[in-house]
Amino acid sequence: MNMQSLYARLLPHFRKKRAALFHDVFGRDVTARVLDVGGYWYNWDYFHISGPIVCLNSDPAHTTQDMPDRFSYVLGDARDMDFGDDAFDIGYSNSVLEHVGGFDDQRRFANEIQRVCRCFFVQTPSRWFVLEPHLLTPFFHYLPRWIQYRSVRWCTVWGWVTRPTREEGAAFLDEIRLLTYREMVELFPDCEIYRERVAFFFVKSFVAIKRPSLQS
């Protein structure tokens, strides 16, 4: 058992709901040009999109094996995209914003996707959800950082499964910065911030949405 197999069991339910929300916003059969920031072509199984999709990713090891023709892959930095203004009709990003660095880096990401994409759908986990989604452990992300560094190996599901060294654990923790609702509003002003809920009460994640204008 590894983390990818655990995620594969847990995530389909949420991805299906997220795809349904996406199509509520942009329509059932999307033919527009889409930019997937930080994603992979095989994550689009639950979507109904016939137009071209460009996957921007910083991972040079990303595989394009068996990638359908309508997908293309670009190596790049989400904080400094090598695209012109309004180059894409729709921007999409799923659980990437929390990985790009500190709040200044997250602001750069938000500014870039708003520059490059006419409309967008940007999802990120909520800091105030009790379960830390990367570690699959409740309340751990509320602990002081020094305690997290010392205990991530033995006190999280991620640590039990991956068995990291202390350096690897610290590097993994330093890569993640979860956001609050107020921070999402600050990063995406004049946009809808949708609260993705679990059990009708707990907010699991936020989605910044800019809908198509009536003129488009």
Side-chain angles (χ1 to χ4, degrees):
M1 178 73 70
N2 57 36
M3 289 303 294
Q4 292 303 318
S5 62
L6 278 176
Y7 291 143
R9 294 183 182 185
L10 296 173
L11 293 181
H13 169 72
F14 296 108
R15 286 180 175 171
K16 288 179 182 178
K17 290 184 63 177
R18 206 162 292 148
L21 175 63
F22 179 92
H23 286 297
D24 284 344
V25 173
F26 298 110
R28 181 63 178 172
D29 183 21
V30 177
T31 59
R33 191 167 189 236
V34 176
L35 173 66
D36 181 356
V37 182
Y40 303 95
W41 66 267
Y42 46 77
N43 289 335
W44 288 87
D45 290 345
Y46 301 115
F47 294 78
H48 303 278
I49 297 180
S50 56
I53 300 176
V54 175
C55 296
L56 175 74
N57 206 296
S58 61
D59 179 10
H62 172 72
T63 178
T64 58
Q65 184 177 2
D66 300 323
M67 186 170 70
D69 291 340
R70 63 191 178 88
F71 288 88
S72 58
Y73 173 71
V74 175
L75 184 66
D77 186 342
R79 300 163 299 183
D80 185 18
M81 300 186 203
D82 193 19
F83 301 115
D85 295 356
D86 294 332
F88 294 88
D89 301 304
I90 300 173
Y92 177 85
S93 184
N94 186 78
S95 294
V96 175
L97 181 55
E98 72 273 17
H99 292 285
V100 299
F103 192 65
D104 288 342
D105 292 298
Q106 291 171 332
R107 188 188 301 279
R108 290 173 60 196
F109 173 105
N111 290 342
E112 279 293 87
I113 201 167
Q114 290 174 87
R115 178 185 68 82
V116 169
C117 303
R118 296 185 179 92
C119 307
F120 50 81
F121 185 102
V122 178
Q123 180 273 346
T124 191
S126 168
R127 172 170 173 74
W128 302 123
F129 186 55
V130 294
L131 183 72
E132 206 294 328
H134 307 88
L135 304 171
L136 296 181
T137 304
F139 306 111
F140 188 84
H141 51 305
Y142 301 143
L143 298 174
R145 205 57 153 179
W146 67 271
I147 296 179
Q148 293 183 35
Y149 288 148
R150 295 189 177 192
S151 57
V152 65
R153 166 66 179 87
W154 303 106
C155 298
T156 68
V157 174
W158 178 83
W160 300 336
V161 173
T162 61
R163 302 178 181 180
T165 64
R166 176 169 290 190
E167 291 75 18
E168 290 169 339
F172 186 78
L173 292 171
D174 288 341
E175 180 190 309
I176 302 167
R177 185 186 183 278
L178 300 176
L179 291 101
T180 66
Y181 180 83
R182 287 187 178 183
E183 289 174 332
M184 287 293 286
V185 170
E186 182 176 344
L187 292 179
F188 298 96
D190 304 319
C191 296
E192 173 186 350
I193 307 298
Y194 176 84
R195 293 176 173 93
E196 189 178 66
R197 299 182 184 274
V198 177
F200 306 102
F201 180 74
F202 296 104
V203 177
K204 177 184 177 293
S205 63
F206 304 116
V207 185
I209 297 173
K210 183 178 180 182
R211 296 176 181 268
S213 65
L214 296 177
Q215 290 78 20
S216 60

